[in-house]
Amino acid sequence: MGAVAAGHTFRPFGYPAADTHLHYNQPFTVIGSLCLFYAFVHLSVRRAPLQRALRWGARHCFAVYLIHSNFYFAMYYVAAFSPLKNASDMPFARLAAALAGYWLLLVLGCMLVDSCRTALFRLLRLDRLIDRCGEWVFRALSAGADRLFTLTQRIESK
């Protein structure tokens, strides 16, 4: 819980102070993410199966973030972590194995859901429909921006 001063609760970044280390917008999380990105950019993988696995994982990372940070889904995986409430009583090896297992299950489950979504979109040819709609929206926005630009040019010239 946050510290209370003059009737206000301290909520850095909009979250209760006790939970701030758990969110993606924290400085150490961002710095760690940038360091991992830098490490993977300079990583040289020569084995084809490992390259395929890394590409498959990279393709689904954003979906893992979107699914995992969804408020409605969070209720389910927080409930899944409830056996770890008494983590202070567990030996370190067992706790580390449980956390690694939960993390692996969460990440692979989200990747599997995104793989199913991708296959379904491809089967129903929704990717082409989305591309066409995207092109239409881009053309409409470009035309609107052009009109706005010419309007501002006319106003400035007066």
Side-chain angles (χ1 to χ4, degrees):
M1 288 188 219
V4 177
H8 297 291
T9 303
F10 177 62
R11 295 175 67 93
F13 300 104
Y15 299 107
D19 293 340
T20 56
H21 64 284
L22 300 174
H23 299 285
Y24 288 109
N25 61 354
Q26 297 305 309
F28 288 120
T29 305
V30 173
I31 291 168
S33 300
L34 291 173
C35 290
L36 275 174
F37 178 75
Y38 182 78
F40 275 105
V41 163
H42 295 289
L43 181 70
S44 176
V45 178
R46 302 194 194 300
R47 296 185 179 184
L50 186 56
Q51 283 180 348
R52 282 193 303 271
L54 285 174
R55 284 190 185 124
W56 182 79
R59 185 180 308 134
H60 300 292
C61 278
F62 187 61
V64 170
Y65 165 71
L66 289 177
I67 294 169
H68 153 262
S69 65
N70 184 326
F71 171 76
Y72 297 108
F73 181 70
M75 294 183 294
Y76 295 109
Y77 75 81
V78 166
F81 278 112
S82 63
L84 296 178
K85 285 183 180 176
N86 300 327
S88 60
D89 300 338
M90 287 186 192
F92 177 75
R94 184 173 172 205
L95 178 64
L99 286 174
Y102 278 126
W103 174 81
L104 195 61
L105 185 65
L106 178 74
V107 169
L108 290 177
C110 291
M111 287 181 172
L112 182 64
V113 166
D114 190 52
S115 294
C116 292
R117 181 205 54 84
T118 304
L120 183 65
F121 272 41
R122 195 173 294 134
L123 179 70
L124 298 175
R125 298 180 184 212
L126 290 177
D127 50 349
R128 292 181 186 172
L129 177 65
I130 290 170
D131 286 342
R132 288 182 189 153
C133 290
E135 290 171 6
W136 178 81
V137 168
F138 178 74
R139 280 192 303 258
L141 288 175
S142 294
D146 289 342
R147 282 188 220 129
L148 184 62
F149 180 72
T150 56
L151 181 64
T152 57
Q153 290 298 321
R154 285 184 203 161
I155 292 171
E156 288 177 0
S157 66
K158 289 184 181 180

